[in-house]
Amino acid sequence: MASLRDIKRRITSVQSTQKITRAMKMVAAAKLRRAQEAIVLTRPYAYQMRNLVNQVARCADRDKHPLLRPGGGEGKIGLIVVTSDRGLCGGFNANIVNHALEVVRSQFAGRTVEITVVGRKGHEVLRRRPVTIRARFSDVYDGSVLHTAGDIIDDVAADFMRGGVDEVYCLYNEFKSAVQQNVTLERFLPFEADATEPTETETTADAESAPSETATTSVDYIYEPSQSEVLGNLLLRHMQVQMHRVLNESAASEHGARMTAMDAATRNAGEVIGRLTLQYNRARQDAITTELIEVISGAEAL
């Protein structure tokens, strides 16, 4: 049986751990609020940029720009896996890594997959798995997130345009709430515009059934200097904006997961302290009882 000193030492150790987890929870909550504000500012611009590129790409010739060329369906796959640089965030990194391995085995079965890892934790796990890591980006959130997003897109877009890969996908945690993050697989390249624009009859019917929504119509633009050059710059900018949104989504998901994990760790530490305190009190009571019995037995012997 553990001595009183050992139990007291364990209680002190768990109390110190509880202070750390409680502080980490508060820090994660503060960072989560800032990350949510970044998402609120990023999402509308990213979605509107997607609508604009859809309009332009719908009227463009897919053979005029390499970012629009359709993949052969049998070539290499470029997969961007977005994880975190730090741990202690529950199953955040494990979920994304396991999903990436499952996607490689099932959805991309029979095709060569080259992975671009964003975040140190993902690289530490994937480098020990039977997958090909093409590039890695770490310390993403230590500097400008937008600049890092541009570096990632420049790298994968250059590889796509020179024929290194036929398709590029991004796997990340989409932020829903502090306790919910959805693993999302999004296609980046080749860019495909949404389905053809609705007919006049469909547009009128939609407008009558949902007057609060604005019907989508196709716009014929005048390009200067040329459609190919404008579309090329617009597509790269669009991908950088989407990657910026993805990184913000992942950051908010990471802070939400860490806050939830540290909250659970704090509560678990409290339960452990309660059990150890009860054990300490019982051991102390047993020691006192033993001493009293020894004193009484000694007095009776005299």
Side-chain angles (χ1 to χ4, degrees):
M1 184 176 181
S3 64
L4 290 176
R5 181 178 299 177
D6 293 336
I7 298 175
K8 189 67 174 178
R9 187 181 296 114
R10 290 180 61 189
I11 291 175
T12 303
S13 175
V14 176
Q15 286 175 339
S16 300
T17 302
Q18 188 183 44
K19 292 179 182 179
I20 296 174
T21 57
R22 184 180 291 114
M24 291 186 66
K25 173 190 172 183
M26 297 175 63
V27 172
K31 290 184 177 180
L32 175 61
R33 285 193 293 270
R34 293 197 295 269
Q36 284 180 297
E37 293 174 359
I39 290 178
V40 170
L41 296 175
T42 304
R43 277 178 175 170
Y45 181 80
Y47 295 155
Q48 190 60 37
M49 173 71 90
R50 180 182 298 168
N51 294 335
L52 174 62
V53 176
N54 276 332
Q55 291 284 353
V56 176
R58 189 180 293 121
C59 305
D61 185 357
R62 299 186 65 83
D63 295 331
K64 288 187 176 181
H65 196 278
L67 295 180
L68 293 176
R69 61 174 174 80
E74 298 179 356
K76 289 183 180 180
I77 296 290
L79 180 62
I80 305 172
V81 179
V82 183
T83 61
S84 68
D85 288 319
R86 298 173 178 85
L88 297 178
C89 48
F92 175 83
N93 291 306
N95 290 339
I96 198 75
V97 169
N98 291 336
H99 198 89
L101 296 174
E102 180 61 27
V103 166
V104 172
R105 284 194 301 264
S106 58
Q107 186 169 342
F108 300 146
R111 304 180 66 179
T112 302
V113 180
E114 295 182 346
I115 297 179
T116 298
V117 186
V118 179
R120 282 200 304 268
K121 289 302 178 180
H123 181 262
E124 290 174 359
V125 177
L126 289 173
R127 70 181 180 180
R128 300 185 179 93
R129 299 294 188 271
V131 294
T132 302
I133 297 180
R134 178 184 164 275
R136 60 169 293 194
F137 294 86
S138 58
D139 301 325
V140 176
Y141 302 100
D142 292 346
S144 172
V145 177
L146 183 59
H147 180 73
T148 303
D151 292 341
I152 297 172
I153 293 303
D154 289 342
D155 180 64
V156 298
D159 189 39
F160 178 83
M161 286 189 289
R162 65 173 172 260
V165 293
D166 276 3
E167 297 175 273
V168 176
Y169 292 83
C170 183
L171 187 67
Y172 65 98
N173 277 298
E174 182 182 13
F175 178 79
K176 293 297 183 182
S177 66
V179 295
Q180 181 183 4
Q181 302 89 33
N182 294 340
V183 179
T184 303
L185 182 66
E186 185 174 327
R187 177 172 171 171
F188 272 17
L189 290 172
F191 180 83
E192 282 189 359
D194 291 340
T196 56
E197 59 179 302
T199 61
E200 183 178 355
T201 305
E202 293 172 345
T203 303
T204 305
D206 292 341
E208 292 176 354
S209 62
S212 61
E213 297 181 0
T214 304
T216 302
T217 58
S218 180
V219 179
D220 187 14
Y221 295 97
I222 299 175
Y223 301 96
E224 179 64 35
S226 66
Q227 183 188 48
S228 177
E229 187 171 349
V230 171
L231 185 59
N233 292 331
L234 193 59
L235 283 171
L236 282 176
R237 180 62 61 86
H238 162 69
M239 291 177 59
Q240 291 171 358
V241 169
Q242 299 306 322
M243 194 68 222
H244 183 215
R245 175 185 61 82
V246 165
L247 293 179
N248 285 336
E249 297 269 6
S250 181
S253 299
E254 176 191 349
H255 297 318
R258 181 172 291 110
M259 185 182 72
T260 303
M262 291 301 101
D263 179 62
T266 302
R267 284 187 278 106
N268 292 340
E271 295 175 0
V272 172
I273 291 172
R275 291 197 297 268
L276 289 175
T277 302
L278 181 60
Q279 182 181 354
Y280 176 82
N281 291 335
R282 286 176 176 174
R284 183 169 176 270
Q285 185 177 5
D286 291 341
I288 293 173
T289 303
T290 301
E291 290 178 0
L292 287 176
I293 292 175
E294 291 176 353
V295 170
I296 294 173
S297 299
E300 291 179 349
L302 295 175

